[in-house]
Amino acid sequence: MKRVVFFMLIAVVAFSACQTKTKNAEEKIVKTEPVAKIWTVEQAKAWGDEHGWLRGCNFNPSTAINQLETWQAESFDPETIDRELGWAEEIGMNCMRVYLHHVAWEVDKEGFKDRVNQYLNIADSHGIKTIFVFFDDCWNATYKAGKQPDPKPGVHNSGWVRDPGDLIYEDPELVVTLEAYVKDVLTTFKNDNRIAIWDLYNEPGNSGYGNRSMPLLQNVFNWAWEIRPSQPVSAGVWNASLTDLNKFQLENSDIITYHNYEGPEQHQAAIDTLKTRDLPMVCTEYMARRNNSYFQNIMPILHKENIGAINWGLVAGKSNTKYAWDEPIPDGSEPALWFHEIFHPDGTPYSQEEVDVIKSLTGLE
């Protein structure tokens, strides 16, 4: 799935039964009354000073095809998590961005939170903080608990699932579950210094949803404000055309987070636009080699600007994100150029040159 080039951001900063059901669902998710408890600029800058330069990856273990396989009891894999985060530590990474999913919580609330705590213990043992993501508008619209599908050979993120996806428009009661989920997780971990940021909603409006994602976006901020964790809450801007969503995200995030998979000139333009808000910034997705977004040409910019640098992917595995978004290789053969990821499953680097650049910027070489 192609993302829109991110720069020149905000100028202003079937049938009748199904339609009725969808209408009822959308009425149910109208935002609650605002209870905004946004950080001051001073609070945000104090957080930035405390955490320094965050650098790391979007992480799911190579043995998991999606968020559910990461977190369900039968497939939770602490051994692989420990091994792969060890490789991240060895190249100077200090932060991972990790997706949650409400279904994994819904079927086993206490077990889910225990596994989140286990993950945090492992990450902390490697000197790695975590950015947790609640909701996501990307990839497959439907999902279910239990065994997850096998990867489709050569297809990028073939098993990744949205949260909540289309179900939010079909089930009027789902919003009640989502509210309970967000508040339970935030309440449990709201003062946990192993967590750097709560990323409330990944790419709202993706998959053609557009402004249909606004009510849930507004709700999740309100739910977070009601709990008011000690960590910052944010939702990253990613698509310049989604002006209403972008405006809300930028005006209501404690710190600025964003995605950019383009080359240095376009990425710098995005930075120049966003840094006028005078808040700490974290790029929570970058590095797509085919798009001229490399460690060698983007990570030094982020280091110089003191912007958190969280690339997509650590270890090649079941998510298949070494393949490009829209360039499947049906026989599953090796792509000529990896799209994402740093390591092979055995821990050897895809590119020693890239690892050397990362280590030089993180002070390990």
Side-chain angles (χ1 to χ4, degrees):
M1 179 185 308
K2 288 186 177 178
R3 285 149 168 95
V4 176
V5 174
F6 194 135
F7 65 101
M8 302 300 291
L9 271 169
I10 316 304
V12 237
V13 198
F15 291 100
S16 60
C18 292
Q19 291 170 345
T20 300
K21 189 174 183 181
T22 299
K23 182 175 184 292
N24 290 341
E26 294 191 3
E27 288 174 352
K28 186 76 175 179
I29 62 172
V30 169
K31 72 181 181 71
T32 55
E33 287 301 310
V35 291
K37 296 181 182 177
I38 307 167
W39 275 3
T40 64
V41 172
E42 291 72 25
Q43 285 176 295
K45 288 185 173 180
W47 173 89
D49 291 342
E50 177 186 352
H51 285 77
W53 185 48
L54 297 176
R55 63 273 184 175
C57 309
N58 282 263
F59 175 71
N60 58 296
S62 62
T63 51
I65 192 171
N66 62 20
Q67 314 93 305
L68 291 171
E69 200 160 49
T70 296
W71 294 113
Q72 291 180 142
E74 59 270 28
S75 49
F76 182 64
D77 188 354
E79 292 79 12
T80 296
I81 291 169
D82 184 42
R83 180 175 63 254
E84 295 180 352
L85 293 187
W87 298 336
E89 179 186 15
E90 289 172 0
I91 61 173
M93 299 300 200
N94 65 7
C95 187
M96 295 289 135
R97 182 172 181 252
V98 180
Y99 285 72
L100 307 173
H101 200 287
H102 86 271
V103 166
W105 169 87
E106 187 176 20
V107 300
D108 183 15
K109 297 178 179 62
E110 295 308 313
F112 173 82
K113 290 185 290 182
D114 178 68
R115 289 186 288 278
V116 168
N117 189 58
Q118 288 183 60
Y119 167 83
L120 288 169
N121 281 335
I122 295 168
D124 187 58
S125 75
H126 293 288
I128 290 172
K129 291 188 179 288
T130 299
I131 302 168
F132 278 129
V133 185
F134 278 111
F135 298 138
D136 184 8
D137 276 354
C138 295
W139 304 104
N140 294 293
T142 57
Y143 44 81
K144 62 181 179 179
K147 187 181 183 309
Q148 298 303 297
D150 293 329
K152 295 178 182 176
V155 177
H156 179 108
N157 257 340
S158 67
W160 198 261
V161 290
R162 301 176 203 168
D163 189 9
D166 290 352
L167 191 60
I168 191 69
Y169 306 114
E170 299 165 1
D171 179 2
E173 300 304 318
L174 181 60
V175 70
V176 177
T177 299
L178 299 178
E179 179 177 3
Y181 158 61
V182 170
K183 289 183 175 179
D184 184 27
V185 174
L186 285 179
T187 298
T188 302
F189 297 102
K190 69 178 183 178
N191 293 314
D192 197 318
N193 62 15
R194 298 169 298 178
I195 298 171
I197 303 166
W198 294 102
D199 192 341
L200 301 180
Y201 201 149
N202 179 68
E203 300 198 353
N206 208 331
S207 302
Y209 289 146
N211 278 355
R212 294 180 78 198
S213 296
M214 181 69 85
L216 182 60
L217 177 67
Q218 293 170 320
N219 271 337
V220 71
F221 270 91
N222 279 314
W223 300 334
W225 288 330
E226 287 181 35
I227 304 303
R228 191 51 269 186
S230 61
Q231 311 93 339
V233 299
S234 185
V237 287
W238 67 281
N239 181 331
S241 70
L242 298 172
T243 53
D244 294 338
L245 294 167
N246 288 337
K247 184 174 188 295
F248 182 87
Q249 289 162 251
L250 290 171
E251 291 180 351
N252 291 282
S253 292
D254 294 326
I255 62 170
I256 299 303
T257 57
Y258 72 97
H259 297 174
N260 191 291
Y261 283 108
E262 301 302 320
E265 182 177 342
Q266 299 95 326
H267 200 135
Q268 185 67 60
I271 291 170
D272 292 343
T273 301
L274 288 167
K275 70 182 180 183
T276 61
R277 305 189 74 85
D278 198 29
L279 290 171
M281 291 169 55
V282 179
C283 179
T284 50
E285 291 188 27
Y286 80 102
M287 211 290 288
R289 295 178 181 92
R290 183 202 63 184
N291 293 9
N292 193 31
S293 179
Y294 289 91
F295 290 110
Q296 296 95 319
N297 63 1
I298 301 298
M299 199 173 183
I301 296 173
L302 298 174
H303 181 258
K304 179 183 176 182
E305 297 275 4
N306 193 31
I307 294 171
I310 313 298
N311 70 276
W312 190 276
L314 180 63
V315 181
K318 291 177 74 173
S319 67
N320 273 349
T321 56
K322 68 181 180 182
Y323 299 96
W325 295 317
D326 52 359
E327 295 179 2
I329 301 178
D331 66 2
S333 58
E334 192 76 358
L337 180 70
W338 278 20
F339 196 62
H340 299 313
E341 316 294 11
I342 299 173
F343 294 106
H344 291 273
D346 65 359
T348 58
Y350 168 71
S351 164
Q352 187 61 47
E353 177 189 352
E354 290 181 345
V355 165
D356 291 344
V357 167
I358 294 167
K359 291 172 74 173
S360 70
L361 291 169
T362 61
L364 292 185
E365 196 171 272

